[in-house]
Amino acid sequence: MDEYMRAALEEAKAGLAEGGIPVGSVLVHNGQIIGRGRNRRVQCGSAILHGETDAIESADRQPAAIYRQCTIYTTLSPCAMCSEAILLFGTVSSAEMRPNSRFVCLQNSSDPKPLCIWLIFAVVGLVASILRR
């Protein structure tokens, strides 16, 4: 597991420790983590504060060109809302490929070429067992 996936997993652990849903995410630009996030739906009573959106928001306001050069690492496949946010920002979503992962190719509406996204597909039980270690 690379350092960015470990950082996303640490965010998931922090979310679990706060009593939330254990999903973490980090936004990486040129090898530097510029945004960290975790699912805060339970902690903040929010319907939309998922790990990916939290990571994008914590990166502060960046120029569009920066987001297009970023990679987002997440511990669970993004939902439809987060996938659309990733496409809207033009960010390439990436995760370490595992036997239980899948490849998804999405079309960026502002760019005719496909935006390919590597997503980890994990079941909550698997994530929880990793977090208990």
Side-chain angles (χ1 to χ4, degrees):
M1 180 181 309
D2 70 20
E3 66 180 291
Y4 307 119
M5 226 16 169
R6 276 193 295 277
L9 190 57
E10 287 302 315
E11 287 297 321
K13 288 178 181 179
L16 184 63
E18 296 169 353
I21 301 164
V23 179
S25 186
V26 294
L27 188 65
V28 178
H29 179 257
N30 288 338
Q32 297 294 318
I33 296 174
I34 64 168
R36 293 175 174 270
R38 56 185 166 269
N39 188 309
R40 295 179 194 259
R41 291 181 56 224
V42 174
Q43 300 92 311
C44 297
S46 170
I48 62 170
L49 201 47
H50 294 189
E52 298 86 353
T53 56
D54 193 30
I56 291 169
E57 186 173 340
S58 76
D60 296 322
R61 294 189 53 91
Q62 301 290 330
I66 297 294
Y67 288 111
R68 285 193 297 272
Q69 298 167 358
C70 286
T71 303
I72 192 162
Y73 291 77
T74 184
T75 60
L76 187 68
S77 295
C79 68
M81 177 188 70
C82 291
S83 295
E84 185 57 34
I86 290 165
L87 287 175
L88 180 66
F89 279 87
T91 301
V92 175
S93 177
S94 177
E96 193 174 273
M97 291 303 294
R98 298 272 186 185
N100 65 341
S101 61
R102 60 186 172 164
F103 176 78
V104 178
C105 188
L106 300 173
Q107 186 73 28
N108 185 335
S109 58
S110 65
D111 187 348
K113 64 183 187 262
L115 176 64
C116 295
I117 300 178
W118 290 97
L119 303 173
I120 286 188
F121 179 78
V123 294
V124 173
L126 176 61
V127 172
S129 70
I130 291 170
L131 295 176
R132 283 192 291 259
R133 292 183 188 171

Short mmCIF file of all heavy atoms in Angstrom, two decimals, residues 9-37:
data_model
loop_
_atom_site.label_atom_id
_atom_site.label_comp_id
_atom_site.label_asym_id
_atom_site.label_seq_id
_atom_site.Cartn_x
_atom_site.Cartn_y
_atom_site.Cartn_z
N LEU A 9 -6.39 5.83 4.62
CA LEU A 9 -6.81 4.88 5.64
C LEU A 9 -6.74 5.52 7.03
O LEU A 9 -7.61 5.27 7.87
CB LEU A 9 -5.93 3.62 5.58
CG LEU A 9 -6.37 2.44 6.42
CD1 LEU A 9 -7.79 2.01 6.08
CD2 LEU A 9 -5.40 1.29 6.22
N GLU A 10 -5.75 6.36 7.27
CA GLU A 10 -5.66 7.07 8.56
C GLU A 10 -6.86 8.00 8.74
O GLU A 10 -7.39 8.12 9.85
CB GLU A 10 -4.35 7.87 8.66
CG GLU A 10 -3.13 7.01 8.86
CD GLU A 10 -3.22 6.14 10.10
OE1 GLU A 10 -3.63 6.66 11.17
OE2 GLU A 10 -2.88 4.95 10.02
N GLU A 11 -7.30 8.63 7.67
CA GLU A 11 -8.50 9.47 7.75
C GLU A 11 -9.72 8.61 8.09
O GLU A 11 -10.57 9.02 8.90
CB GLU A 11 -8.74 10.23 6.44
CG GLU A 11 -7.76 11.36 6.20
CD GLU A 11 -7.86 12.46 7.24
OE1 GLU A 11 -8.98 12.80 7.67
OE2 GLU A 11 -6.81 13.00 7.62
N ALA A 12 -9.81 7.43 7.49
CA ALA A 12 -10.92 6.53 7.79
C ALA A 12 -10.90 6.11 9.25
O ALA A 12 -11.94 6.08 9.92
CB ALA A 12 -10.87 5.30 6.87
N LYS A 13 -9.70 5.82 9.76
CA LYS A 13 -9.57 5.45 11.18
C LYS A 13 -10.00 6.60 12.08
O LYS A 13 -10.67 6.38 13.09
CB LYS A 13 -8.12 5.07 11.49
CG LYS A 13 -7.69 3.74 10.92
CD LYS A 13 -6.24 3.48 11.26
CE LYS A 13 -5.76 2.17 10.69
NZ LYS A 13 -4.34 1.91 10.99
N ALA A 14 -9.63 7.81 11.72
CA ALA A 14 -10.02 8.98 12.52
C ALA A 14 -11.54 9.15 12.52
O ALA A 14 -12.14 9.46 13.55
CB ALA A 14 -9.34 10.24 11.98
N GLY A 15 -12.16 8.93 11.37
CA GLY A 15 -13.61 9.01 11.29
C GLY A 15 -14.29 7.98 12.16
O GLY A 15 -15.28 8.27 12.85
N LEU A 16 -13.76 6.77 12.16
CA LEU A 16 -14.32 5.70 13.00
C LEU A 16 -14.16 6.06 14.48
O LEU A 16 -15.08 5.88 15.27
CB LEU A 16 -13.64 4.37 12.68
CG LEU A 16 -14.19 3.15 13.42
CD1 LEU A 16 -15.64 2.89 13.05
CD2 LEU A 16 -13.33 1.93 13.11
N ALA A 17 -12.99 6.60 14.84
CA ALA A 17 -12.74 6.98 16.23
C ALA A 17 -13.69 8.09 16.69
O ALA A 17 -14.01 8.18 17.88
CB ALA A 17 -11.29 7.44 16.40
N GLU A 18 -14.16 8.90 15.76
CA GLU A 18 -15.12 9.96 16.07
C GLU A 18 -16.56 9.46 16.11
O GLU A 18 -17.48 10.25 16.33
CB GLU A 18 -15.02 11.08 15.03
CG GLU A 18 -13.69 11.80 15.02
CD GLU A 18 -13.52 12.72 13.80
OE1 GLU A 18 -14.37 12.71 12.89
OE2 GLU A 18 -12.51 13.43 13.77
N GLY A 19 -16.74 8.17 15.85
CA GLY A 19 -18.08 7.60 15.83
C GLY A 19 -18.75 7.65 14.48
O GLY A 19 -19.95 7.42 14.36
N GLY A 20 -17.98 7.95 13.45
CA GLY A 20 -18.52 8.08 12.10
C GLY A 20 -18.31 6.87 11.23
O GLY A 20 -17.89 5.81 11.69
N ILE A 21 -18.59 7.04 9.96
CA ILE A 21 -18.45 5.99 8.96
C ILE A 21 -16.99 5.97 8.50
O ILE A 21 -16.45 7.01 8.12
CB ILE A 21 -19.41 6.26 7.78
CG1 ILE A 21 -20.85 6.30 8.31
CG2 ILE A 21 -19.25 5.23 6.68
CD1 ILE A 21 -21.85 6.92 7.37
N PRO A 22 -16.33 4.81 8.52
CA PRO A 22 -14.89 4.77 8.23
C PRO A 22 -14.54 4.82 6.74
O PRO A 22 -14.18 3.82 6.13
CB PRO A 22 -14.46 3.43 8.84
CG PRO A 22 -15.67 2.57 8.73
CD PRO A 22 -16.83 3.50 8.93
N VAL A 23 -14.66 6.01 6.16
CA VAL A 23 -14.25 6.23 4.77
C VAL A 23 -13.34 7.44 4.76
O VAL A 23 -13.72 8.51 5.25
CB VAL A 23 -15.45 6.47 3.83
CG1 VAL A 23 -14.98 6.73 2.41
CG2 VAL A 23 -16.40 5.28 3.86
N GLY A 24 -12.12 7.27 4.24
CA GLY A 24 -11.15 8.37 4.19
C GLY A 24 -10.70 8.65 2.78
O GLY A 24 -10.82 7.80 1.89
N SER A 25 -10.18 9.85 2.58
CA SER A 25 -9.75 10.28 1.26
C SER A 25 -8.66 11.33 1.38
O SER A 25 -8.66 12.11 2.34
CB SER A 25 -10.96 10.85 0.51
OG SER A 25 -10.64 11.14 -0.81
N VAL A 26 -7.73 11.35 0.42
CA VAL A 26 -6.74 12.42 0.34
C VAL A 26 -6.63 12.88 -1.11
O VAL A 26 -6.76 12.10 -2.04
CB VAL A 26 -5.34 12.00 0.87
CG1 VAL A 26 -5.38 11.73 2.35
CG2 VAL A 26 -4.78 10.82 0.13
N LEU A 27 -6.39 14.17 -1.28
CA LEU A 27 -6.21 14.78 -2.59
C LEU A 27 -4.74 15.11 -2.75
O LEU A 27 -4.15 15.79 -1.91
CB LEU A 27 -7.07 16.04 -2.68
CG LEU A 27 -7.18 16.72 -4.05
CD1 LEU A 27 -7.89 15.81 -5.04
CD2 LEU A 27 -7.93 18.04 -3.91
N VAL A 28 -4.13 14.60 -3.82
CA VAL A 28 -2.68 14.71 -4.01
C VAL A 28 -2.37 15.50 -5.27
O VAL A 28 -2.93 15.24 -6.34
CB VAL A 28 -2.04 13.30 -4.11
CG1 VAL A 28 -0.54 13.40 -4.35
CG2 VAL A 28 -2.34 12.49 -2.86
N HIS A 29 -1.46 16.48 -5.14
CA HIS A 29 -1.00 17.27 -6.28
C HIS A 29 0.53 17.25 -6.29
O HIS A 29 1.16 17.63 -5.30
CB HIS A 29 -1.50 18.71 -6.19
CG HIS A 29 -1.03 19.56 -7.32
ND1 HIS A 29 0.00 20.46 -7.19
CD2 HIS A 29 -1.44 19.62 -8.61
CE1 HIS A 29 0.20 21.05 -8.35
NE2 HIS A 29 -0.65 20.56 -9.22
N ASN A 30 1.09 16.79 -7.38
CA ASN A 30 2.56 16.73 -7.53
C ASN A 30 3.24 16.07 -6.34
O ASN A 30 4.24 16.55 -5.83
CB ASN A 30 3.15 18.12 -7.76
CG ASN A 30 2.83 18.66 -9.13
OD1 ASN A 30 2.54 17.91 -10.06
ND2 ASN A 30 2.87 19.97 -9.26
N GLY A 31 2.68 14.96 -5.87
CA GLY A 31 3.29 14.20 -4.79
C GLY A 31 3.04 14.75 -3.39
O GLY A 31 3.54 14.20 -2.42
N GLN A 32 2.27 15.83 -3.27
CA GLN A 32 1.98 16.43 -1.98
C GLN A 32 0.48 16.32 -1.68
O GLN A 32 -0.34 16.59 -2.54
CB GLN A 32 2.36 17.92 -1.97
CG GLN A 32 3.84 18.17 -2.17
CD GLN A 32 4.67 17.65 -1.02
OE1 GLN A 32 4.32 17.80 0.15
NE2 GLN A 32 5.79 17.03 -1.33
N ILE A 33 0.16 15.93 -0.46
CA ILE A 33 -1.25 15.88 -0.05
C ILE A 33 -1.70 17.31 0.21
O ILE A 33 -1.15 17.99 1.08
CB ILE A 33 -1.44 15.01 1.20
CG1 ILE A 33 -1.07 13.55 0.89
CG2 ILE A 33 -2.88 15.12 1.72
CD1 ILE A 33 -1.09 12.63 2.09
N ILE A 34 -2.68 17.78 -0.57
CA ILE A 34 -3.18 19.15 -0.40
C ILE A 34 -4.56 19.17 0.27
O ILE A 34 -5.04 20.24 0.65
CB ILE A 34 -3.21 19.93 -1.73
CG1 ILE A 34 -4.18 19.30 -2.73
CG2 ILE A 34 -1.81 20.05 -2.31
CD1 ILE A 34 -4.46 20.17 -3.94
N GLY A 35 -5.19 18.00 0.38
CA GLY A 35 -6.49 17.94 1.03
C GLY A 35 -6.69 16.59 1.69
O GLY A 35 -6.31 15.56 1.13
N ARG A 36 -7.26 16.59 2.86
CA ARG A 36 -7.56 15.36 3.61
C ARG A 36 -9.02 15.41 4.00
O ARG A 36 -9.54 16.47 4.33
CB ARG A 36 -6.73 15.26 4.89
CG ARG A 36 -5.26 15.08 4.66
CD ARG A 36 -4.50 15.11 5.99
NE ARG A 36 -3.11 14.80 5.77
CZ ARG A 36 -2.59 13.56 5.81
NH1 ARG A 36 -3.37 12.55 6.10
NH2 ARG A 36 -1.32 13.37 5.59
N GLY A 37 -9.66 14.24 3.97
CA GLY A 37 -11.05 14.22 4.37
C GLY A 37 -11.50 12.86 4.84
O GLY A 37 -10.86 11.85 4.57
#
